[in-house]
Amino acid sequence: MPDLRRIGIAPDHWYPVATSRKVRRNRTFATAFAGQRIALYRGRSGTVHALEDRCAHRQVPLSMGVVEGDILRCCYHAWAYRGDGRISQIPYLPKGCERPPRGVRSYPVREAYGLVFVFPGDPALAEAAAFPRLPEYHSPAHRTMTFSRTVRCHYSFMHENLLDMNHQFLHRSVLGRIRPELLGYETGPRHVEARYLFVPAGGRKDRGAGLLSAEGVGGRDTPDVITIRTEYPYQTLRGVPEGTDLPAFSLWAAYVPEDAEQRLNHAYGLLTIAKPPVPGAMHLAWPLIRRFTERVFAQDRTAVEAEQRAWDEQGEDRNHEVFPLILDLRDVLRSNGVPLRSDVESGCTPCGLATPTHRAGVANGAAAARPAAPAAEGAAE
């Protein structure tokens, strides 16, 4: 098996690289995808453009430049670029001199859900590539909380952390004691989906956790059904209180590598919460829910960054994974990913990128027969 931590994320998908509010009108914003430095800028028309973050002249970052109308001008010699990356002007170039044949690379851009997405792969595939669908984001019955955090680990650790709910001991200070029961899971070439029953087993729970799960001010302890799905390359989570059909909350997440080695990722999350029937109750509950989700995320980040440090020290993946669900997840991430550039250049291209092994998607929960440490994932990741 190739080491999953040496597999890069596939570029032929739409990835968020900034929140919309960070890309202000007539300003630039520097971001990156897997070692590709990208300059975002919002022109006078309000449209966001994404260019390779270097001037074709002296390689100075275009993110240091100046936005003029809908063009971006390099801060050094004032070369001007259109949103498609073509050079529109070289101010001091005498007539008759040969112009550079092209400018810099541009990226397809889409803005949705308060995020700026780019397509870092083959631009010819962008039009047909699936784009995330989040209908609840625009629903007046829901309110969405946005997360944008840098995490120092390979993106695969993030997928494992959210999908493997057998780590709730980590969250005992905010969730109390939780007994997660795997109800079943299914897997395919591009996805893994698991369903858990979260059974409270005592202990003190953060008030924000109860409000998020629609338990109300009384904080009654009722089991929740948590469904987590990795649909490459994204991840979703839905929490449904037992005895109801409508989710109290749902999370969409993307983990976007920033560096070429993909040891650093930016986690973007959209947590959509159903509004309670009492007018104004969500406004009062919002700070408590936010505090709870931030505490959960901080604990998870501590764990996954520790996993990454161990990999860095050992130089290989020495994990002894026993949970069939996570073994299937790793197959999905391997088979849909691409070898990291450093491995290709060194001639160490993994050759075993096989189709997922479909370990009998256990619809009746039989996969949970192997013992695993107690755990779970709450709201924000």
Side-chain angles (χ1 to χ4, degrees):
M1 282 289 182
D3 189 335
L4 175 58
R5 320 310 173 185
R6 298 185 186 278
I7 300 297
I9 205 165
D12 291 331
H13 297 275
W14 288 98
Y15 291 98
V17 291
T19 58
S20 292
R21 64 182 182 84
K22 290 285 189 179
V23 189
R24 293 182 287 174
R25 194 181 295 266
N26 299 322
R27 293 292 187 89
T28 64
F29 183 80
T31 185
F33 173 85
Q36 302 176 38
R37 292 190 294 113
I38 300 172
L40 302 177
Y41 76 95
R42 191 186 298 276
R44 181 168 51 202
S45 66
T47 301
V48 177
H49 304 282
L51 303 181
E52 184 180 2
D53 196 7
R54 64 170 188 87
C55 179
H57 180 211
R58 298 280 184 90
Q59 316 305 304
V60 173
L62 288 176
S63 58
M64 296 169 58
V66 177
V67 179
E68 296 180 353
D70 284 307
I71 68 168
L72 178 58
R73 194 176 292 278
C74 178
C75 69
Y76 198 7
H77 290 81
W79 287 29
Y81 295 84
R82 299 187 184 94
D84 62 1
R86 296 287 181 176
I87 298 170
S88 66
Q89 184 190 32
I90 301 176
Y92 55 86
L93 190 67
K95 291 184 178 180
C97 289
E98 183 178 353
R99 297 175 65 88
R102 58 184 304 169
V104 297
R105 177 182 178 182
S106 66
Y107 296 84
V109 181
R110 291 185 68 173
E111 195 169 4
Y113 315 125
L115 300 173
V116 177
F117 292 77
V118 301
F119 194 86
D122 182 351
L125 303 177
E127 186 72 23
F131 193 80
R133 292 185 66 255
L134 306 173
E136 293 174 347
Y137 181 86
H138 300 289
S139 168
H142 296 81
R143 185 175 174 183
T144 300
M145 188 177 290
T146 301
F147 298 89
S148 173
R149 296 285 187 275
T150 297
V151 187
R152 297 184 175 279
C153 73
H154 190 261
Y155 64 90
S156 62
F157 288 116
M158 303 294 287
H159 280 272
E160 292 177 0
N161 170 263
L162 189 61
L163 192 64
D164 187 354
M165 287 289 151
N166 296 303
H167 74 270
Q168 292 316 297
F169 186 74
L170 177 68
H171 301 309
R172 61 195 181 277
S173 62
V174 288
L175 283 173
R177 294 192 298 275
I178 294 290
R179 189 174 73 250
E181 299 176 2
L182 182 64
L183 301 177
Y185 80 92
E186 61 178 46
T187 182
R190 299 183 60 82
H191 82 277
V192 180
E193 180 177 289
R195 293 171 58 248
Y196 295 86
L197 183 67
F198 268 27
V199 180
R204 189 173 181 180
K205 182 193 297 186
D206 186 286
R207 175 60 61 84
L211 295 171
L212 179 64
S213 300
E215 294 173 2
V217 178
R220 62 185 188 278
D221 280 339
T222 57
D224 295 328
V225 177
I226 306 294
T227 302
I228 311 102
R229 182 181 181 93
T230 288
E231 181 77 36
Y232 193 90
Y234 314 119
Q235 202 164 37
T236 58
L237 180 150
R238 297 171 73 246
V240 180
E242 192 177 42
T244 67
D245 297 324
L246 299 177
F249 63 91
S250 58
L251 171 71
W252 177 90
Y255 316 118
V256 184
E258 293 186 341
D259 59 322
E261 294 76 20
Q262 302 199 17
R263 298 292 175 264
L264 183 74
N265 79 84
H266 201 104
Y268 292 91
L270 298 172
L271 178 64
T272 304
I273 307 167
K275 294 180 180 178
V278 180
M282 178 58 76
H283 177 74
L284 297 175
W286 200 252
L288 297 174
I289 295 174
R290 185 85 198 194
R291 185 189 67 174
F292 161 69
T293 55
E294 293 287 3
R295 292 179 67 188
V296 170
F297 183 85
Q299 292 172 347
D300 284 327
R301 178 160 56 184
T302 298
V304 295
E305 290 184 346
E307 288 186 281
Q308 182 63 62
R309 286 195 300 273
W311 190 96
D312 292 337
E313 293 165 0
Q314 296 161 0
E316 61 181 356
D317 190 352
R318 296 187 185 177
N319 288 0
H320 296 286
E321 187 54 62
V322 296
F323 197 17
L325 170 63
I326 298 304
L327 295 174
D328 279 346
L329 169 67
R330 291 183 176 187
D331 286 339
V332 169
L333 297 178
R334 281 193 191 96
S335 61
N336 287 284
V338 295
L340 286 173
R341 186 172 59 193
S342 58
D343 291 324
V344 174
E345 292 172 350
S346 66
C348 299
T349 305
C351 57
L353 301 184
T355 303
T357 54
H358 305 282
R359 290 185 180 79
V362 196
N364 60 0
R370 295 174 183 257
E377 201 55 65
E381 192 64 11

